[in-house]
Amino acid sequence: MKRIPLSIVFLCLASWLGAQKLEVKEVWASGYARSVLYADEYFNDSASDSTTAAKLMSGHTLVDLGINIKPSDKVFVQGMLRVRNDHGGFWGSGVTFDVRNLYLRGLIGNSFRYQLGDINYKLTPYTLFNSDEELSRYEPKVFQLMREMTRYDLFYNDDNSWRQQGATGEFGLTFKKYVDGVDFSFFTSRLNSAASTGLLDRLHSGGSVFVKQSDLLDFRLTYIDAFDILGTSSATNRYSNPVLTGGIGIHKQIQDWRLDLETEFGTSQEEKKVGESSAERQDYFSDIRFKMRYAPYNLSLSVAYQDVGAGFRSIGAQTKRLNFSNVPLAYQRIGDGQNLRPFGMLDIIRDASLYNTALSTSLMSYDPAYGNFRPYGASTPNRRNLILSANWEDKKGMAEIQVTGISGSEIQGQGTESIKQFNVVDAGMMIHMDKILDMKKEWLFNFGYSSEKTQRFGEADYEDIDLSNQVLSAGMEVEFIKDFQFLAGYRLMVSKGNEYLARKDLVGEVITFTPYEVDMQQDMFALGVRYNFSERSLINFQWTNYSYQDQLNLNDDHRLTDLSLIYRMNF
Amino acid sequence: MKKNIVLFGLLLLVLSSCERDDAAFEGPALDDIYGPFVVLQDFDITDRSVDFEAGETTTFTALFSKQVDWEVQIKGLESGAIKSITGFSAELSTSNARWTGTTTEIPLFKEEMCAVELRVPSDTLVVYDTLNVTGVRNITGFVVADFENGFQPGWTGFVQSGADMSFNITDDIPAAQGSKYYDMGGAVDWDWLIGLIDFPATAYGAPHFPLSTDPANIYFNVMLYLPQGITNEVVLFQFREDDNGDNIYSENNEDIFSLEVKNLEAGWHQISLRYGDLATLVNGAPASPIGNGLYEPHKLFKISVLFLANPNSGYSQTLMDYLIFTTGGPLVP
């Protein structure tokens, strides 16, 4: 976000409003506000540490004030300012002003919708899709509030769209015969600014055409490209990444069974030139998913086959949220040696500085301990997977269960012809105790477990890989007085084994593999009380205990406790 | 429904026609990085008696079980010249271990026996061998002086009457090239100048040196040796141009470009400078050109080498060898 003086923004806004006064039909304010206070305490039982401060307090108050203007029935403008005051700022020295949102959207001829400025856009999981970050599934509610704030700050929306700056447009056509309708959607955004980076201007553009032939049959064609505009600077670096995908959906209702076949196939090309180095890649993927839903039992079953080539590249779908090169803000250095503290589960839910908001033209680095099977989401290259899943929900809403099993492998070996095998089991359960016991106040219990195993057996010992990651989650939320909730949650993460990390050059060619070993355990436990003023505002007080243990590097062992008070409201 | 299945089948058909990189694996082989090191083919030399003068080359060969850092070092047993060839690979072959007679650390190789060593630091492997250089390679360029045949007619010199003066051609230590070099040394406590030697173009049979007109393409090269303990040496090379082409150099009217060398480290060094990068110096400081200010190598009239030292600093000495003009780049030793 660009930082500009608040007074200038308000002056511009006021003068603009003044000029438009006679024509403006509606103006209203909306926004978001929160106040956060963290009181952390640091413990180190494994190594002597007389240097790191034992206690640390931090917090802030912020308001996102959005001015919504509807000058006509077909035009809507929003400008949102963020005023943030870090606790401890003196006489306004800790205050920052940012423009958080600025866009204009409207309708042309009752058929063409457009938006200019800040846009949130997504296409398919292989073209433009902001995949969820690590350790975000089956999250107990007591941890969700911090993550929600982090995601809100980073524009990570529930629909997995990417926040970009540019323009979108969409329109649809309906037909009387042969085809029910055709929907068109397209966007363009600017990834690089030549003026600020010295590199070439880079655009990211694309769109999709969705053809609904009938309730039984539909087609989708998607194209997206990230490309440099020659001549916008003297830089010689070049990048382009066109991705073309298509798919068919076949749907059928047979008595109580709903059958859906959804497919997506596509190819990608990538050309990258950095200095004297250059690389070209092209590959394809296929994703075939068959779902069955038996309505009387609320039971869904699905089987899917995925094949994503090692050279498949799609920056809009493969860019990660978590940037594993970053370091945490809280207790950044620990120990007498003041070494960088490895970030962990607590940081992931509350530290926005660990995240990335720009699309990356390289496959970002990742830590296999946090997930080795699909670090880049569904479009993780070099994977061939068979996915089975089942989902059941009690008719009265008393319980929900979902189970997924994946058997996967690499398509191309990494430094050896032997390929890695992946076995994943993922299960989650939600129990609505209030419905089971017919209580009026809400009592929810949720459990989640995921296990991921990576193995490779080669001809030589040094080719062997055996890595095991497991995450266990359990949470409860109990309403004990109307609108008062007691929250508790626990999460355990265990990672043990070995892998190789691919080290790449500037254009993404693997230059070597470095051994990676891990024997680490993290756990996090929290207790909290929450009062919900309404659906849109709450106050939350909780205690969180976080522990990090690394058997291979005892100096990294530490424990943090955090008392937090959070007030949050949407208006 | 049948139509849908046909469509779906067509999509699969299109997909199956896509191409995919059929490399067995991505990146370097793990065997090359983490596998055991074994010599599969012993170290060998394709030509153990090599005549570089006749255009011959020799190649070092070996085959290992994995990629490693390796170094082949050839040392002239008479000259002390050293050639080092390094690489990271599993095989030594013509593409990465061929020797054309060049030198990494001067002196230049002579016709001599050479000791050869192959080292693989990661495995402490060392293999020793020898080869014989029967002819040194030809170096293309205009040689101003290599001192092999003594003080040539036309060269002139001046030596102050100081103490321990030694402006002479000698072979006390291995020369940078051939066997002889020019020794400049002495102590003069009343003047910076200890001695000088002039190389006029007339000594080579023409009023101007036979150089091309492009100053960006002509390089002046010289090899200098600083004895241990000497720290006060200043070697000044002067290049006088006959700007007006009258076959006479007019002091204070025509260009004189300079190259000043000092603060050398002990041992032989190659000094190379593009003609167009020579400077106009007055008392060691950059100054405006004296003549037309144009770099005109084809009008080079005389080269002077002045050996200087601070008169209060005592004895100084520097050895000089192989003054040569090359075209297209610095001298490749």
Side-chain angles (χ1 to χ4, degrees):
Chain A
M1 287 185 290
K2 297 168 191 166
R3 296 194 169 188
I4 54 175
L6 180 68
S7 54
I8 294 175
V9 174
F10 271 119
L11 275 174
C12 293
L13 201 60
S15 59
W16 189 85
L17 282 173
Q20 302 290 320
K21 193 175 177 182
L22 292 176
E23 295 176 22
V24 171
K25 288 188 174 175
E26 284 183 62
V27 176
W28 71 98
S30 63
Y32 168 98
R34 73 171 184 239
S35 184
V36 176
L37 182 65
Y38 292 131
D40 292 348
E41 191 166 4
Y42 163 79
F43 303 90
N44 192 337
D45 303 325
S46 302
S48 66
D49 187 352
S50 56
T51 310
T52 310
K55 295 184 179 179
L56 192 68
M57 291 191 73
S58 61
H60 62 264
T61 300
L62 67 80
V63 178
D64 290 337
L65 181 61
I67 304 296
N68 305 282
I69 305 160
K70 206 171 172 187
S72 73
D73 289 343
K74 293 180 179 175
V75 179
F76 173 82
V77 181
Q78 188 189 71
M80 182 177 278
L81 292 176
R82 164 165 287 193
V83 184
R84 175 176 165 139
N85 185 12
D86 283 340
H87 292 168
F90 184 68
W91 293 109
S93 63
V95 178
T96 57
F97 301 95
D98 299 307
V99 176
R100 180 174 164 82
N101 242 357
L102 203 56
Y103 66 82
L104 181 154
R105 69 177 179 223
L107 189 65
I108 298 173
N110 284 329
S111 58
F112 182 82
R113 285 195 292 180
Y114 64 90
Q115 181 165 329
L116 304 169
D118 294 324
I119 56 171
N120 296 314
Y121 200 78
K122 78 158 185 173
L123 288 166
T124 71
Y126 296 91
T127 48
L128 185 62
F129 193 85
N130 188 351
S131 299
D132 289 345
E133 66 273 31
E134 286 78 354
L135 299 179
S136 59
R137 284 172 63 76
Y138 309 123
E139 187 146 74
K141 193 168 183 176
V142 71
F143 303 137
Q144 285 177 10
L145 181 59
M146 291 183 194
R147 189 186 296 275
E148 279 171 17
M149 292 191 302
T150 303
R151 285 182 169 183
Y152 172 80
D153 287 352
L154 295 158
F155 306 101
Y156 292 164
N157 302 309
D158 290 342
D159 65 356
N160 296 98
S161 59
W162 273 109
R163 161 57 65 99
Q164 299 185 73
Q165 287 182 311
T168 66
E170 57 187 41
F171 64 98
L173 303 171
T174 55
F175 301 89
K176 289 181 179 174
K177 287 173 70 177
Y178 306 119
V179 173
D180 285 356
V182 183
D183 292 328
F184 297 87
S185 171
F186 55 86
F187 85 104
T188 187
S189 64
R190 190 188 195 195
L191 302 183
N192 266 359
S193 157
S196 58
T197 64
L199 300 171
L200 294 172
D201 256 20
R202 181 172 298 153
L203 296 186
H204 196 213
S205 306
S208 71
V209 180
F210 179 73
V211 181
K212 186 179 177 188
Q213 193 269 334
S214 66
D215 287 341
L216 297 178
L217 180 64
D218 54 60
F219 308 89
R220 182 187 292 277
L221 191 66
T222 307
Y223 178 78
I224 192 167
D225 192 5
F227 57 96
D228 290 334
I229 302 176
L230 303 183
T232 49
S233 86
S234 58
T236 57
N237 293 356
R238 301 273 186 281
Y239 188 77
S240 77
N241 179 214
V243 183
L244 175 67
T245 80
I248 294 178
I250 302 173
H251 316 280
K252 185 83 175 169
Q253 185 79 35
I254 303 174
Q255 294 177 338
D256 290 332
W257 286 92
R258 167 76 182 178
L259 308 178
D260 295 287
L261 178 69
E262 291 167 357
T263 62
E264 186 174 6
F265 309 95
T267 65
S268 77
Q269 281 187 304
E270 185 185 52
E271 290 181 21
K272 194 171 190 179
K273 180 175 180 296
V274 180
E276 297 300 313
S277 305
S278 63
E280 288 186 25
R281 296 177 186 85
Q282 61 178 28
D283 216 319
Y284 62 88
F285 75 91
S286 56
D287 187 325
I288 304 165
R289 202 169 294 266
F290 180 65
K291 291 182 192 171
M292 297 180 292
R293 179 172 170 78
Y294 186 62
Y297 292 160
N298 272 345
L299 175 67
S300 299
L301 302 169
S302 76
V303 56
Y305 172 77
Q306 256 193 317
D307 180 303
V308 187
F312 180 77
R313 293 289 184 276
S314 176
I315 65 168
Q318 292 170 336
T319 296
K320 289 178 66 62
R321 289 183 174 181
L322 258 178
N323 186 342
F324 281 89
S325 305
N326 286 353
V327 291
L329 279 180
Y331 286 105
Q332 194 170 89
R333 292 181 179 275
I334 57 171
D336 279 341
Q338 288 294 283
N339 298 319
L340 285 171
R341 180 173 71 86
F343 70 71
M345 290 197 293
L346 180 61
D347 306 291
I348 285 175
I349 62 171
R350 70 173 188 175
D351 189 346
S353 73
L354 299 176
Y355 288 86
N356 164 56
T357 53
L359 297 185
S360 169
T361 57
S362 309
L363 290 176
M364 295 167 64
S365 61
Y366 67 96
D367 186 340
Y370 289 84
N372 199 36
F373 166 56
R374 286 204 294 205
Y376 305 103
S379 58
T380 298
N382 199 18
R383 295 288 186 272
R384 182 173 287 146
N385 308 313
L386 181 66
I387 305 168
L388 299 171
S389 61
N391 203 322
W392 174 78
E393 187 179 340
D394 176 69
K395 273 183 165 178
K396 294 178 182 173
M398 290 189 289
E400 299 162 37
I401 297 173
Q402 49 184 306
V403 181
T404 303
I406 305 173
S407 175
S409 69
E410 289 181 327
I411 296 169
Q412 188 179 45
Q414 300 283 294
T416 166
E417 291 185 29
S418 306
I419 58 173
K420 295 175 199 168
Q421 306 289 334
F422 303 95
N423 286 296
V424 179
V425 175
D426 183 280
M429 180 166 64
M430 176 81 84
I431 298 173
H432 296 255
M433 195 59 78
D434 49 328
K435 291 182 180 170
I436 294 172
L437 301 175
D438 199 20
M439 299 159 61
K440 288 184 179 174
K441 295 189 175 62
E442 196 174 54
W443 283 36
L444 286 178
F445 295 84
N446 75 298
F447 304 93
Y449 172 74
S450 69
S451 166
E452 186 188 279
K453 188 95 174 158
T454 306
Q455 288 181 305
R456 181 173 70 192
F457 302 103
E459 291 180 6
D461 291 349
Y462 50 82
E463 294 178 40
D464 291 351
I465 288 174
D466 189 358
L467 176 69
S468 169
N469 296 328
Q470 294 180 78
V471 180
L472 176 71
S473 304
M476 62 180 285
E477 47 188 287
V478 174
E479 189 180 23
F480 55 97
I481 301 174
K482 184 171 170 35
D483 294 327
F484 272 99
Q485 286 179 310
F486 170 74
L487 305 171
Y490 177 73
R491 172 165 276 173
L492 171 70
M493 171 189 166
V494 180
S495 181
K496 187 171 184 178
N498 74 303
E499 237 291 20
Y500 281 99
L501 299 179
R503 303 291 182 197
K504 299 178 179 177
D505 62 13
L506 291 172
V507 293
E509 299 289 351
V510 178
I511 50 177
T512 191
F513 297 97
T514 54
Y516 169 91
E517 276 194 71
V518 65
D519 187 357
M520 176 255 284
Q521 175 176 318
Q522 296 181 48
D523 64 67
M524 188 160 65
F525 176 65
L527 294 170
V529 180
R530 178 175 300 179
Y531 178 69
N532 297 293
F533 296 101
S534 69
E535 283 187 0
R536 300 167 68 88
S537 62
L538 59 84
I539 188 166
N540 188 88
F541 178 74
Q542 77 181 54
W543 172 81
T544 308
N545 180 79
Y546 164 71
S547 166
Y548 182 103
Q549 292 172 289
D550 186 344
Q551 297 298 320
L552 301 179
N553 189 358
L554 297 176
N555 287 332
D556 282 346
D557 286 5
H558 63 279
R559 187 164 68 86
L560 295 175
T561 63
D562 170 53
L563 270 176
S564 66
L565 180 63
I566 298 170
Y567 176 84
R568 189 215 67 195
M569 70 179 296
N570 290 291
F571 58 93
Chain B
M1 194 68 181
K2 273 182 187 172
K3 208 184 288 180
N4 298 343
I5 293 168
V6 170
L7 276 169
F8 182 65
L10 274 175
L11 252 182
L12 286 179
L13 196 68
V14 169
L15 191 74
S16 64
S17 67
C18 294
E19 285 185 21
R20 183 168 271 173
D21 179 12
D22 57 359
F25 53 81
E26 189 182 15
L30 290 177
D31 288 343
D32 285 345
I33 308 170
Y34 301 106
F37 175 78
V38 178
V39 178
L40 301 176
Q41 182 185 309
D42 286 340
F43 181 69
D44 201 0
I45 303 170
T46 56
D47 188 348
R48 291 172 184 276
S49 180
V50 58
D51 183 357
F52 295 118
E53 193 173 10
E56 292 180 5
T57 62
T58 188
T59 297
F60 306 99
T61 60
L63 186 62
F64 309 133
S65 59
K66 60 183 270 192
Q67 290 185 312
V68 289
D69 283 308
W70 51 260
E71 179 184 11
V72 175
Q73 191 181 80
I74 309 121
K75 185 171 185 179
L77 295 177
E78 197 177 323
S79 65
I82 291 175
K83 173 65 182 178
S84 176
I85 304 172
T86 59
F88 176 76
S89 66
E91 184 174 12
L92 278 68
S93 63
T94 309
S95 64
N96 58 9
R98 187 166 66 102
W99 186 34
T100 58
T102 57
T103 306
T104 305
E105 292 177 26
I106 55 175
L108 304 181
F109 282 92
K110 301 162 68 168
E111 293 176 8
E112 59 186 331
M113 284 300 295
C114 297
V116 181
E117 281 182 19
L118 166 68
R119 289 181 180 272
V120 178
S122 62
D123 196 70
T124 67
L125 174 77
V126 184
V127 179
Y128 299 98
D129 210 325
T130 57
L131 66 80
N132 187 19
V133 176
T134 58
V136 296
R137 76 191 178 101
N138 295 312
I139 294 176
T140 306
F142 180 77
V143 178
V144 178
D146 64 5
F147 306 106
E148 295 302 305
N149 300 312
F151 206 86
Q152 294 298 295
W155 298 356
T156 57
F158 168 75
V159 181
Q160 298 267 30
S161 54
D164 300 323
M165 305 307 286
S166 62
F167 278 74
N168 58 326
I169 294 171
T170 182
D171 57 0
D172 291 344
I173 64 164
Q177 180 271 341
S179 55
K180 294 180 180 171
Y181 56 87
Y182 192 64
D183 178 359
M184 304 180 289
V188 175
D189 60 6
W190 67 90
D191 194 358
W192 279 75
L193 180 67
I194 299 173
L196 66 83
I197 180 169
D198 285 335
F199 304 101
T202 51
Y204 306 92
H208 306 118
F209 281 87
L211 303 176
S212 78
T213 57
D214 183 3
N217 209 30
I218 298 287
Y219 287 77
F220 172 71
N221 311 273
V222 63
M223 294 177 181
L224 298 174
Y225 179 95
L226 190 73
Q228 284 286 356
I230 299 293
T231 57
N232 58 347
E233 87 292 349
V234 178
V235 185
L236 180 64
F237 296 89
Q238 295 178 327
F239 302 82
R240 287 178 169 79
E241 286 185 355
D242 174 19
D243 287 347
N244 58 14
D246 63 357
N247 299 338
I248 299 170
Y249 177 77
S250 305
E251 294 286 346
N252 303 322
N253 284 320
E254 294 182 292
D255 279 326
I256 173 169
F257 298 113
S258 302
L259 164 64
E260 187 180 87
V261 181
K262 55 187 177 183
N263 302 324
L264 289 169
E265 293 190 356
W268 280 110
H269 302 277
Q270 177 181 327
I271 310 295
S272 295
L273 189 72
R274 193 166 57 172
Y275 193 92
D277 292 335
L278 293 169
T280 299
L281 300 177
V282 174
N283 293 327
S288 299
I290 296 164
N292 62 12
L294 302 174
Y295 290 98
E296 296 169 306
H298 58 292
K299 292 183 179 177
L300 182 59
F301 184 77
K302 183 168 73 176
I303 301 169
S304 302
V305 183
L306 286 70
F307 185 59
L308 313 165
N310 187 323
N312 300 319
S313 62
Y315 182 78
S316 188
Q317 186 183 21
T318 298
L319 315 183
M320 177 172 69
D321 199 359
Y322 210 47
L323 291 82
I324 181 172
F325 283 103
T326 54
T327 303
L331 167 70
V332 177

